[in-house]
Each structure stands twice: as structure tokens, then as C-alpha cells.
Amino acid sequence: MEINYNDFDLVIEQAVDFEALKVNEFDVEHFFTNQGWSQFFDSLNGPVYPILVKDFWPRCEIFDKVEADREYALKVAEDVVNNKGKSREQLGLKEFKETEIRSCVSGAEITLTQSNIAQ
């Protein structure tokens, strides 16, 4: 997808705004604080790095099972006699565990997965 960098507007908002909830008579923050969730909400509402985000998303690509199978097939096709039947690792390919969002920012390869976000 082609996005002009200057047209790429980033909307930054708080995931959970306890103050706005209080104003509307929903004082629920203490329920989460009592369970030790304050640090979690602080990280959700933590800093956002707009330049990093604007550099990451336009360059990202999704690497899923279909792409992993295509990558494997292309590697096997390079030398069918010697590569057929070998594992991804034996062919020098990274093991495919789950769908990845891949991008490159300032020369650093970034990979997001559901498990590393959950971590």
C-alpha cells in the first residue's frame, strides 16, 4: 500500500481513560488497582512514538502460513534434487510458528507476533 508519509495521520488516544469514566459517574479504577492491574494500564496508556509508528506500518508485510509455504517451495525449487524433503531449518529458513508482521525501521528488522505482543 502506498501512503504518502505526510498524509499518514496518526491518532493517539488513551486505551483506558479512568478520569473520563469518573466524570461520567463510572468510578471503576479501584477495582483494577486492587487486583494489581495498574502497571498494565500504565503501559497501555504509555508513550507513543509517532515517527517510529509512521516508519513501521507503511513498510510492513504479513508473513503467514501461505507465505511460509511459498518461501519453502521457492527454496526447494532452487535445487530440487538436494532440497526436496528437507525441513525449513535444513534449508536455512526460520521455523514458522505463527503469523508475523515484519517491517524494518532505521535498519533494524522488527517482527511482531501475537505471542510477543502478549509477552
Side-chain angles (χ1 to χ4, degrees), residues 3-53:
I3 300 173
N4 182 333
Y5 189 85
N6 295 322
D7 292 339
F8 188 26
D9 292 328
L10 190 61
V11 177
I12 302 170
E13 56 185 46
Q14 284 189 291
V16 179
D17 187 349
F18 289 116
E19 293 305 314
L21 289 168
K22 278 182 195 174
V23 167
N24 291 295
E25 299 180 15
F26 292 99
D27 187 7
V28 295
E29 184 173 11
H30 63 278
F31 294 121
F32 298 99
T33 304
N34 292 343
Q35 295 180 52
W37 282 64
S38 295
Q39 185 178 3
F40 172 71
F41 287 106
D42 289 343
S43 69
L44 280 180
N45 295 331
V48 175
Y49 305 94
I51 294 171
L52 178 65
V53 171

Side-chain angles (χ1 to χ4, degrees), residues 73-118:
L74 288 172
K75 192 68 171 179
V76 169
E78 289 176 5
D79 185 356
V80 178
V81 174
N82 292 316
N83 291 346
K84 191 171 184 176
K86 289 186 177 179
S87 70
R88 291 182 60 82
E89 292 75 23
Q90 290 171 324
L91 293 174
L93 301 173
K94 195 171 95 176
E95 178 186 6
F96 179 78
K97 296 178 184 176
E98 62 185 314
T99 299
E100 300 174 343
I101 300 172
R102 297 177 174 178
S103 190
C104 186
V105 177
S106 298
E109 292 184 16
I110 309 293
T111 302
L112 296 178
T113 64
Q114 189 175 16
S115 60
N116 71 17
I117 289 171

